[in-house]
């Protein structure tokens, strides 16, 4: 897998992007940790026209390859955003003896009730103007990937509370356009459908009972993903899960004017505390 690295000293932290297929979207998170950690930002596998569809199992295997590439035998911490948080949990369930501390930022949904509530919240925030913009996309953009990416940019405002703008001194909270890759619409659909299949078959979230690592959920109070519902669904399986809600904050805490500093402060402190007691991986 392709990766970007940040920082030269400190514990290793793997920062996993969401989407699926939002490659490059967590560059600002990895960069924000580089003063105290050696951060690794992997680029998840893209779909191949005519090739086999992407699966959760393939992404888990790819993430395991990144973990093994760290090479020093110490369990790295993993920070996942949205779909990336779901992938981090799936990986840790498959490799519980190799999993270090896990941070779930704006974690995605694992049951129909939470997804229904997500849709309700988004519908409540969707204005007539947003509907008109979405309706025009089919006529204005022919490429499916570009159309899905444009839809995401329109919908982002419904997921945010008060995001930092490009001319703001804190604009580094965002991800520069050249840090992202073209959105892989096919890869997004293939991966998400496989996750829904696995949930329908009862694989997830039940498999998460195998996770023994420290786990922290960081969730914005304005994130349409219903944080308390997701937390309450995970806690019977992961009783060690800690939950920290960020006020006046949407789905991307590092981009939020009111929550950015708190997000990084809580994230750094928790990682430093939990990484300090990490032992070597079982096979090392």
């Amino acid at each position: 897998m392709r990766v970007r690295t940040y920082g030269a000293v400190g514990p290793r932290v793997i920062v996993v992007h969401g989407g699926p297929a939002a490659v490059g979207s967590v560059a600002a998170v990895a960069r924000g940790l580089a003063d105290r950690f050696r951060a690794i930002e992997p680029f998840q596998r893209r779909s191949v026209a005519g090739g086999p569809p992407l699966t959760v199992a393939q992404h888990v295997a790819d993430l395991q390859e990144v973990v093994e590439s760290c090479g020093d035998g110490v369990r790295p911490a993993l920070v996942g955003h949205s779909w990336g948080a779901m992938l981090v949990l799936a990986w840790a369930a498959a490799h519980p003896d190799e999993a270090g501390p896990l941070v779930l930022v704006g974690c995605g949904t694992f049951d129909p009730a939470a997804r229904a509530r997500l849709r309700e919240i988004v519908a409540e925030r969707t204005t007539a103007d947003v509907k008109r913009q979405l309706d025009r996309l089919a006529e204005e953009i022919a490429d499916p990937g570009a159309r899905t990416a444009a839809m995401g940019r329109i919908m982002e405002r419904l997921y945010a509370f008060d995001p930092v703008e490009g001319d703001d001194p804190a604009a580094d909270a965002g991800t520069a356009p050249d840090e992202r890759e073209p959105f892989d619409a096919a890869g997004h659909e293939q991966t998400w459908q496989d996750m829904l299949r696995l949930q329908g078959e009862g694989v997830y979230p039940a498999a998460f009972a195998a996770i023994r690592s420290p786990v922290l959920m960081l969730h914005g109070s304005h994130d349409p993903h219903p944080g308390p519902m997701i937390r309450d669904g995970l806690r019977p399986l992961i009783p060690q899960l800690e939950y920290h809600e960020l006020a006046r904050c949407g789905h991307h805490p590092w981009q939020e004017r009111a929550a950015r500093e708190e997000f990084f402060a809580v994230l750094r402190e928790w990682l430093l505390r939990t990484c300090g007691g990490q032992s070597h991986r079982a096979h090392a």
Side-chain angles (χ1 to χ4, degrees):
M1 290 182 67
R2 292 174 55 204
V3 301
R4 284 193 291 231
T5 59
Y6 308 77
V9 296
R12 292 188 189 273
V13 179
I14 300 172
V15 185
V16 183
H17 69 74
V23 175
S25 60
V26 290
V29 179
R31 195 164 51 241
L33 293 173
D35 59 337
R36 305 293 296 275
F37 303 91
R38 289 173 290 169
I40 301 169
E41 178 200 4
F43 289 16
Q44 292 166 38
R45 182 184 299 260
R46 296 176 64 85
S47 65
V48 177
L54 293 178
T55 64
V56 174
Q58 181 64 69
H59 287 299
V60 167
D62 288 344
L63 188 53
Q64 173 64 7
E65 182 180 311
V66 175
V67 171
E68 291 178 350
S69 74
C70 292
D72 54 13
V74 177
R75 299 183 181 103
L78 284 89
V79 177
H81 175 245
S82 195
W83 147 254
M86 303 173 78
L87 176 56
V88 162
L89 288 173
W91 171 81
H95 301 277
D97 293 332
E98 300 183 56
L102 311 175
V103 182
L104 318 176
V105 181
C107 187
T109 58
F110 289 102
D111 62 82
R115 276 191 291 281
R117 181 58 186 146
L118 166 62
R119 288 192 294 269
E120 289 172 0
I121 294 171
V122 171
E124 291 166 2
R125 298 178 186 176
T126 302
T127 64
D129 180 57
V130 169
K131 289 179 180 177
R132 283 192 293 271
Q133 292 182 56
L134 293 172
D135 290 342
R136 289 200 299 265
L137 289 180
E139 300 176 0
E140 296 175 351
I141 305 177
D143 178 71
R147 186 166 59 248
T148 303
M151 182 186 304
R153 289 191 293 271
I154 294 170
M155 296 295 288
E156 273 185 0
R157 71 192 69 172
L158 309 180
Y159 285 67
F161 183 81
D162 182 20
V164 172
E165 302 297 337
D167 57 353
D168 191 285
D172 190 50
T175 298
D178 61 358
E179 291 181 304
R180 291 179 179 259
E181 291 202 342
F183 189 79
D184 178 12
H188 172 91
E189 184 67 13
Q190 292 166 10
T191 301
W192 186 244
Q193 288 303 316
D194 192 50
M195 172 55 79
L196 292 180
R197 176 187 66 81
L198 291 165
Q199 291 185 23
E201 294 175 359
V203 175
Y204 300 126
F208 303 156
I211 296 173
R212 299 185 295 274
S213 302
V215 182
L216 171 66
M217 276 187 74
L218 284 171
H219 213 89
S221 62
H222 194 71
D223 189 336
H225 296 79
M229 289 182 70
I230 297 168
R231 173 200 64 200
D232 292 348
L234 292 175
R235 264 209 179 132
L237 302 162
I238 313 173
Q240 72 273 28
L241 185 148
E242 303 173 51
Y243 185 81
H244 184 97
E245 187 166 274
L246 299 158
R248 303 176 66 197
C249 178
H251 190 52
H252 299 78
W254 64 94
Q255 296 177 0
E256 292 283 354
R257 193 180 311 277
R260 182 178 190 272
E261 289 187 10
E262 180 185 356
F263 166 71
F264 276 112
V266 172
L267 179 59
R268 290 190 188 101
E269 188 279 330
W270 191 87
L271 286 172
L272 286 170
R273 174 163 49 85
T274 55
C275 288
Q278 289 303 300
S279 61
H280 284 62
R281 296 197 295 267
H283 69 272

